[in-house]
């Protein structure tokens, strides 16, 4: 009953096999090797983007911060949701990498930026000469940090506004696969066909050991990214072992299968919880991350039985006295099992 | 005949086994797991430093830049040799992480800072109030970028000066093991017992997949380091897989054996080359990295036979017309074989 | 009828005389001169702070950014109101000087941070280990950017919270004098006696040519400030001419007289506007800056007659159709005259 | 007998008059005023550069750091002489403003970069992919920090190399006027006609109160500069008072007259000192700054008589035992008098 985070799951055996396969004799360092080229080619093909620049880094924070810093100037803003990982969970990495840029928060329901709010804030940025920060980039998170999924129309509503103001759009796809299978679309549809310029394409949360690809559709930004990556200490000498994970991840649709499983476990959990009267959902379940609350007694029982998950600050609507009703974040992963879900549901139902 | 770099060698099988061992069920992220605690404990014991703060990052540049940034202010200098990796090979990572600090170059023979030069520059830093940068940290590289090894007396001569001015001392130990086995000393003797405050303890160049430990002997700097690591995107969610490499690396003296082998191959190579009349050494061979030159014909033959190594800018003493006599950097590793060395020597001898 | 900004007013003749007086033969540079020492001593006496470190810089943005950067780390937050000058009008200077820190916005009525909001955000900062930015400094603006004045109780309510969490408090006093005369208190009461640690003490908007003092009550931060000032290019070689302005400004209570006049002109304007039926105030008038709206026709008439002032984005409550009812910011200064105010009121009343 | 620094001299009366003239009623802030436009126009005309962007800041460090930061990326180098003000006297301001760039030191005689050294270092920068910092800008100081003057041929030798590698060239002209009158050339000849792209055009050391112009010949960099200036806290609200100094400075050739006088006083001093047997010159005198040494007794006598000047670290050639022979920096200014020079010479001659 481990629902604390998808990055607590083990590495999928196929990824481990990929690492072993890559560990074959000498290879040039710093990405100048056959495995890296192969993984890059696979991504270009998957994304139908033959010109895209593709890089591998070990963490999502690195992917996001490097991608954003390569697309804005230090005196520009990054528009994102208040719950965005770049705002809440990276200890200021975007500000650090972008030389002191400002994250401009665009609120909206269920972890999604509201297009009208976005337009309003863009209109009111950089319109008084040098005095305020200038318009920069838009950063969308999908799956959102509320566990919901922007559909293609919602993505396009935001990117259309960005386009109007000639602003680049970044996609934080730490859970790219989970969003994509939820939408039933292609990688290209979820990205450049919907107006995304640069993607953090996550692997770590979906079965890899530690790898995220950064995909830059306009290669004009590639060289700057490479310099920033090196300067940030994110260019691995034995780069083949980042690439090998990605290669295994993308081979034979492994990544899609793992995400489908994780989402299915999320749905199983949600369906079960919805049936329990005392459970209240904070956001709709759409992928592999759920936010819902129930009475304290249920939490105590679940934890006593060894369940792992994080309590969540339900800042927006308080749905009950704090000491009676507590909200949890539940995350399923490729490694979650129906047995675990069922056992967990039983515990909660018991007190519900 | 692969002498291009020790980071081009494959991962040692024992390290791969360690990764597989760590891939066992769920584990908390971000270093809060048993494998991480175990690897940290091993390092504290090896270094006889029960209070030391120990962290794992994926690259040497990250280790160096984070370690240095945690010990100086942006308006301070970092004293290092002109050939130091932090000066020559990190695209300004220390300056980036340290908020615009300055590397102050201390020349000296064979890649080693000259103590008199160090004292002179410290004396002439920050002695005119706010106008110049202030005294910061000293960074020593061992094995040096010239392939030589500072002995304990040489290290202590530098750290004594630093101590006098109350400056912290960083050791870039990307090839820590190679230096240590060359000196025949203990980890503690090569570090805190010789006045070192913070160490980049390399694993990647000596058989790991990608891990370096940062060891901070005075834990007062630990929290700042942790924040800088996160903010730099260097805190891995599945941190256990960095730690697992380190654990396997340190188990049963694997790291020492691998370094001894690499150094032995370096000696074999050196001994053979010294016998060839046309070969001139730029620096004495003391570990697993050699710098020497020979006539162009020898290079052509070696390369035609598939040898891999980098030409080197022999900036200091030109030992012959550039088109006749070329200098090479030859690096041996845990994976080098006597057969490779012999074959290579034969090729060079043939034209010598 | 010039109400565009108090920094558009000329320099007061007494300040010009002060400059002439200081222009007397040679003087050591960089603040090591008698005029600087004299102005520093005057400030220490006025603020009843004999130990305070006192510096002069040419702009308010420099004062704020340097003061804040000297009190926080790059991974910390600065709590301020969404309308604060540091958030809205400095093109990211605090983020730049503080190495990529984050401004955390604390909303509240009439340009004042709400204490409950402040406490809530502090509680929710840095409480998840390294993942989020950490708690940093609180920055209060008085006179606020809404033209209102925090009274001593209101200041103390905020500083008490900061104190509880051991956070330093900065006061952006670009209009320090206007706030102080509005409150009828002493400089010490408005600052350290109310829990303020560091002050940007403005001169420029109240009759000086271009000088702001930074007053640091705890001199432990002084040396860092001096290095940051130099490094930011804000240490003037002919520093005596910054100090000379401040000396003249503080002599014989000139600064108090000028602020009283500016505030009196603000009151005169407010009293007159309140009598005009069509005029709606956005915030109460408490010093020398007013925010109010009236129908378009009145704006057209006023502008045709040569009035100068800025339209204002009345983002919060829309009080009428945008094309009918427009909000203005009106700022009075030491140079405003009752005649100007009366003439302006007549114009507005005419269409009201 | 004040030869400590030209920035210790008072403000010239004509500059004070200019300030008084500008203090005439209300004026828009932040450079949007008639005085600023007038001073900008004068500079464009003087430099025969009708398209140039022209800005005013209060300090030379700000001018240099902002100019350089606007022309390079954080991962690039700035080539300058080891004695350059940006290297020695700005507490790392260029590194700070340029986001952690590296100053690459190009040695050469008498404070002038040697063209061969420059070419060599450019060739060896950024030639190994992302691993090292990349080629950035060249910064020339004229008058040099050794008191010598690059002639037009020498400037062009350096800019030709920069041009070859497509690198921008900055001129630190803190003593622009002194260099220009020494060369007998026009402002255009000393700058863009000789390949300079951006100039710090000093006023402060030659009679102004505190103003330096930054002149950017290619206006494509102008907007970035404006944002950096604001963000650095260097956009003055009452900008007219920076401009007014510059206007007065340039009116009727005041700036040229003042520099000629300062240089003439430098020559008078040099001629006198050369006649004294015990005096040894460290560099040839070419403008208003001299570096020479004489026995300790002469220093003691001069100081006892009230002479002001700084001892200098004669790092290169030691010309005598440190306790017997001391080097001094002597700087003349617009305010120096022949009487002062003669009196000083007498004192030194006495012990010579």
């Amino acid at each position: 009953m481990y629902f604390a985070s998808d990055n607590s799951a083990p590495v999928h055996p196929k990824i481990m096999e990929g690492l072993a396969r890559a560990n074959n004799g000498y290879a040039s360092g710093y990405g100048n090797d056959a495995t890296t080229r192969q993984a890059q080619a696979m991504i270009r093909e998957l994304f139908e983007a033959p010109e895209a620049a593709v890089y591998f880094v070990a963490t999502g924070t690195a992917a996001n911060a490097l991608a954003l810093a390569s697309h804005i100037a230090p005196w520009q803003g990054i528009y994102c949701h208040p719950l965005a990982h770049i705002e809440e969970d990276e200890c200021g990495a975007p500000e650090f990498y972008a030389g002191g840029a400002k994250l401009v928060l665009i609120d909206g329901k269920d972890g999604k930026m509201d297009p009208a709010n976005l337009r309003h804030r863009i209109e009111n940025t950089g319109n008084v000469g040098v005095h305020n920060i200038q318009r920069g980039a838009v950063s969308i998170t999908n799956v959102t940090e509320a566990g919901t999924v922007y559909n293609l129309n919602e993505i396009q509503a935001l990117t259309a506004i960005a386009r109007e103001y000639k602003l680049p759009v970044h996609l934080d796809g730490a859970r790219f696969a989970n969003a994509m299978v939820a939408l039933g679309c292609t990688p290209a549809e979820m990205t450049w066909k919907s107006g995304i310029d640069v993607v953090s394409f996550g692997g770590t949360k979906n079965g890899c050991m530690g790898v995220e690809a950064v995909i830059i559709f306009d290669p004009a930004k590639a060289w700057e990214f490479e310099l920033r990556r090196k300067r940030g200490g994110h260019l691995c000498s034995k780069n083949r072992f980042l690439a090998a994970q990605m290669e295994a991840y993308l081979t034979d649709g492994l990544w899609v299968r793992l995400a489908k499983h994780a989402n299915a476990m999320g749905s199983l959990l949600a369906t079960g919880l919805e049936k329990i009267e005392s459970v209240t959902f904070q956001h709709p379940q759409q992928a592999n991350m759920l936010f819902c609350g129930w009475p304290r007694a249920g939490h105590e029982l679940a934890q006593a039985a060894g369940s792992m998950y994080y309590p969540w600050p339900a800042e927006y609507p308080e749905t009950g006295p704090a000491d009676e009703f507590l909200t949890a974040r539940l995350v399923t992963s490729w490694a979650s099992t129906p047995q675990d879900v069922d056992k967990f549901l039983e515990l909660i139902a018991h007190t519900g």
Side-chain angles (χ1 to χ4, degrees), chain A residues 88-167:
Chain A
E88 280 287 301
D89 297 293
E90 302 188 352
C91 196
E95 289 94 334
F96 171 52
Y97 274 92
K102 188 190 283 288
L103 273 62
V104 181
L105 306 181
I106 308 297
D107 215 340
K109 216 168 151 265
D110 290 330
K112 299 177 186 175
M113 283 185 275
D114 181 275
N117 289 348
L118 177 62
R119 180 183 294 279
H120 179 77
R121 286 309 303 267
I122 293 176
E123 272 295 317
N124 286 283
T125 311
N127 57 355
V128 287
V130 298
H131 293 282
N132 203 332
I133 57 149
Q134 307 294 303
R135 294 162 184 163
V138 176
S139 181
I140 299 174
T141 312
N142 211 12
V143 178
T144 74
E145 293 293 328
T148 57
V149 178
Y150 283 100
N151 66 34
L152 298 188
N153 285 340
E154 289 170 326
I155 296 171
Q156 289 161 17
L158 296 172
T159 62
I161 296 168
R163 202 70 46 202
E164 210 176 298
Y165 293 92
K166 299 197 168 61
L167 307 183

Side-chain angles (χ1 to χ4, degrees), chain A residues 40-216:
Chain A
Q40 289 170 325
M42 291 173 80
I43 285 183
R44 287 195 193 98
E45 197 183 332
L46 255 171
F47 279 80
E48 307 166 44
E51 305 296 326
V54 178
Y55 303 104
F56 306 116
V57 292
T59 73
T61 295
N64 289 339
L66 288 167
L68 285 165
S70 299
H71 284 79
I72 63 162
W75 43 83
Q76 293 180 342
I78 299 167
Y79 302 96
C80 67
H81 193 276
L83 293 177
H85 200 269
I86 57 172
E87 167 69 9
E88 280 287 301
D89 297 293
E90 302 188 352
C91 196
E95 289 94 334
F96 171 52
Y97 274 92
K102 188 190 283 288
L103 273 62
V104 181
L105 306 181
I106 308 297
D107 215 340
K109 216 168 151 265
D110 290 330
K112 299 177 186 175
M113 283 185 275
D114 181 275
N117 289 348
L118 177 62
R119 180 183 294 279
H120 179 77
R121 286 309 303 267
I122 293 176
E123 272 295 317
N124 286 283
T125 311
N127 57 355
V128 287
V130 298
H131 293 282
N132 203 332
I133 57 149
Q134 307 294 303
R135 294 162 184 163
V138 176
S139 181
I140 299 174
T141 312
N142 211 12
V143 178
T144 74
E145 293 293 328
T148 57
V149 178
Y150 283 100
N151 66 34
L152 298 188
N153 285 340
E154 289 170 326
I155 296 171
Q156 289 161 17
L158 296 172
T159 62
I161 296 168
R163 202 70 46 202
E164 210 176 298
Y165 293 92
K166 299 197 168 61
L167 307 183
V169 185
H170 166 250
L171 173 63
D172 177 356
R175 295 186 177 91
F176 188 100
N178 303 92
M180 193 188 74
V181 303
L183 295 177
C185 67
T186 68
E189 285 167 357
M190 199 173 118
T191 57
W192 65 268
K193 289 186 177 174
S194 290
I196 302 289
D197 298 289
V198 54
V199 183
S200 300
F201 177 74
T204 314
K205 289 179 192 293
N206 193 30
C208 292
M209 182 179 280
V211 68
E212 317 279 308
V214 175
I215 309 165
I216 309 178

Side-chain angles (χ1 to χ4, degrees), chain A residues 279-304:
Chain A
V279 173
T280 304
F281 274 73
Q282 198 175 19
H283 305 292
Q285 177 268 332
Q286 297 176 343
N288 68 322
M289 191 159 50
L290 291 76
F291 294 82
C292 51
W294 59 85
R296 173 180 294 275
H299 290 281
E300 282 168 358
L301 195 66
Q303 273 155 27

